């Protein structure tokens, strides 16, 4: 795995401090966890449980990895968290609210506070990179001039200043992933969910993206990254939720490696 320091990531990917507009929205009710799952289970039809009695909480401004083998249910858990799937049983609370009590309008409003990086990007091929990233702002009614300014600033920040007018099929996997990440964060989400965000890029780009998530976390965004790579997790000093056989366990942060501590690399 290529070694990549914080200082290198900031200089070559971000080009300086993060965009000034990327301050997250309010977390919800004071004193409540941002995310709370209580005895959540999920199965499809008569099939076995994909999730079985899952319970955990994520505090505002926290950063966690969601670790598990392929097929362990990581994507299904994230889908429940971004309100794309209702659990078979149990309770999910986001921003201090039980999601089962939300009206359709409330669910739509809550989704605007959640940024999602999908495993297969979900970019729209006939829209440029700039237009893809601008979509959340367009939907929310942001004035076009203001939206374009924010999008250009963010795409420059993630190293895509020369690709704003490019269409997704002409971009590399790493470039598409950064467009997807920019789209996920442009609406200033309080919660960012990323499903295998490094699965389609080489190790060097993967490290860049993980450093990007750390920078977003420093602005106050709560981050949950699903991955099957323990190697990446060990390189970052963040706690882990391990999903195995439908059950989840919390693991403390691993000691930070010398490679990450030493900016001379």
């Amino acid at each position: 795995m290529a070694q990549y320091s914080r200082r290198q990531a900031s200089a070559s990917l971000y080009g300086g401090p993060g965009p000034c507009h990327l301050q997250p929205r309010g977390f919800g009710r004071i004193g409540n966890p941002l995310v709370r799952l209580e005895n959540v289970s999920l199965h499809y039809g008569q099939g076995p449980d994909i999730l079985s009695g899952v319970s955990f909480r994520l505090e505002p401004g926290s950063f966690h990895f969601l670790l598990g083998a392929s097929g362990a249910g990581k994507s299904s858990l994230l889908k429940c968290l971004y309100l794309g799937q209702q659990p078979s049983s149990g309770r999910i609370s986001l921003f201090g609210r039980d999601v089962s009590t939300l009206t359709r309008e409330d669910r739509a409003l809550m989704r605007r506070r959640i940024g999602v990086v999908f495993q297969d990007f979900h970019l729209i091929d006939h829209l440029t990179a700039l237009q893809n990233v601008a979509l959340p702002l367009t939907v929310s009614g942001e004035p076009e001039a203001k939206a374009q300014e924010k999008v250009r600033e963010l795409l420059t920040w993630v190293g895509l200043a020369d690709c704003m007018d490019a269409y997704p099929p002409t971009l590399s996997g790493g470039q598409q992933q950064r467009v997807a990440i920019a789209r996920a964060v442009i609406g200033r989400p309080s919660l960012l969910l990323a499903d295998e965000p490094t699965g389609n890029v080489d190790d060097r780009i993967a490290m860049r993206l993980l450093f990007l998530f750390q920078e977003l976390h420093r602005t106050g965004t709560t981050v949950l990254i699903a991955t099957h790579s323990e190697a990446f997790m060990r390189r970052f000093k963040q706690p882990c939720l391990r999903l195995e056989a439908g059950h989840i366990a919390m693991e403390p942060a691993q000691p930070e490696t010398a490679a990450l501590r030493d900016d001379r690399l």
Side-chain angles (χ1 to χ4, degrees):
M1 181 184 300
Q3 292 180 330
Y4 208 73
S5 75
R6 283 191 179 93
R7 185 170 59 192
Q8 290 170 313
S10 295
S12 61
L13 180 59
Y14 312 138
C20 60
H21 70 271
L22 280 181
Q23 295 303 317
R25 299 181 188 274
F27 291 127
R29 298 176 184 173
I30 296 175
N32 280 305
L34 196 78
V35 174
R36 175 183 284 165
L37 274 70
E38 299 174 82
N39 202 32
V40 168
S41 296
L42 176 67
H43 61 265
Y44 298 105
Q46 301 300 314
D49 281 349
I50 299 171
L51 304 174
S52 181
V54 169
S55 297
F56 66 87
R57 54 190 285 163
L58 302 180
E59 301 298 332
S62 61
F63 186 123
H64 291 78
F65 286 103
L66 174 61
L67 192 67
S70 296
K74 302 186 301 296
S75 295
S76 295
L77 177 55
L78 292 184
K79 193 172 183 180
C80 290
L81 292 179
Y82 64 74
L83 307 179
Q85 173 71 52
Q86 291 189 355
S88 303
S89 61
R91 187 170 109 169
I92 298 177
S93 298
L94 299 176
F95 309 104
R97 300 189 63 183
D98 183 344
V99 300
S100 67
T101 68
L102 298 177
T103 65
R104 179 177 298 182
E105 181 180 358
D106 287 340
R107 292 172 73 87
L109 290 173
M110 185 172 284
R111 283 194 182 102
R112 294 184 185 179
R113 304 176 67 185
I114 304 171
V116 184
V117 181
F118 297 96
Q119 194 169 152
D120 55 358
F121 309 148
H122 285 202
L123 299 176
I124 299 175
D125 287 348
H126 66 270
L127 298 181
T128 66
L130 188 149
Q131 291 169 331
N132 267 280
V133 176
L135 271 177
L137 300 181
T138 302
V139 170
S140 66
E142 185 96 9
E144 183 177 356
K146 188 175 181 181
Q148 293 241 341
E149 180 184 358
K150 289 182 177 180
V151 172
R152 291 182 184 280
E153 182 185 9
L154 182 55
L155 284 174
T156 299
W157 187 58
V158 299
L160 295 176
D162 297 330
C163 301
M164 294 187 190
D165 296 324
Y167 292 91
T170 70
L171 299 174
S172 69
Q175 289 170 329
Q176 290 186 53
Q177 187 65 286
R178 279 178 274 169
V179 173
I181 290 170
R183 184 183 59 187
V185 306
I186 192 67
R188 300 179 298 145
S190 296
L191 174 63
L192 180 66
L193 307 171
D195 192 1
E196 298 281 1
T198 60
N200 297 285
V201 296
D202 61 33
D203 287 349
R204 182 170 177 271
I205 294 297
M207 291 302 295
R208 283 180 155 193
L209 295 175
L210 289 170
F211 280 119
L212 170 57
F213 285 122
Q214 282 204 329
E215 291 301 312
L216 295 171
H217 171 240
R218 290 189 181 105
T219 73
T221 296
T222 300
V223 178
L224 180 62
I225 300 177
T227 181
H228 64 271
S229 174
E230 296 207 29
F232 283 128
M233 186 201 71
R234 286 194 296 267
R235 292 175 64 85
F236 288 81
K237 191 178 180 181
Q238 304 295 352
C240 168
L241 295 166
R242 186 179 295 272
L243 186 59
E244 187 174 352
H247 300 278
I248 205 158
M250 178 76 76
E251 297 181 1
Q254 299 295 317
E256 192 172 26
T257 65
L260 283 179
R261 289 196 302 268
D262 190 352
D263 279 348
R264 293 170 298 176
L265 292 174

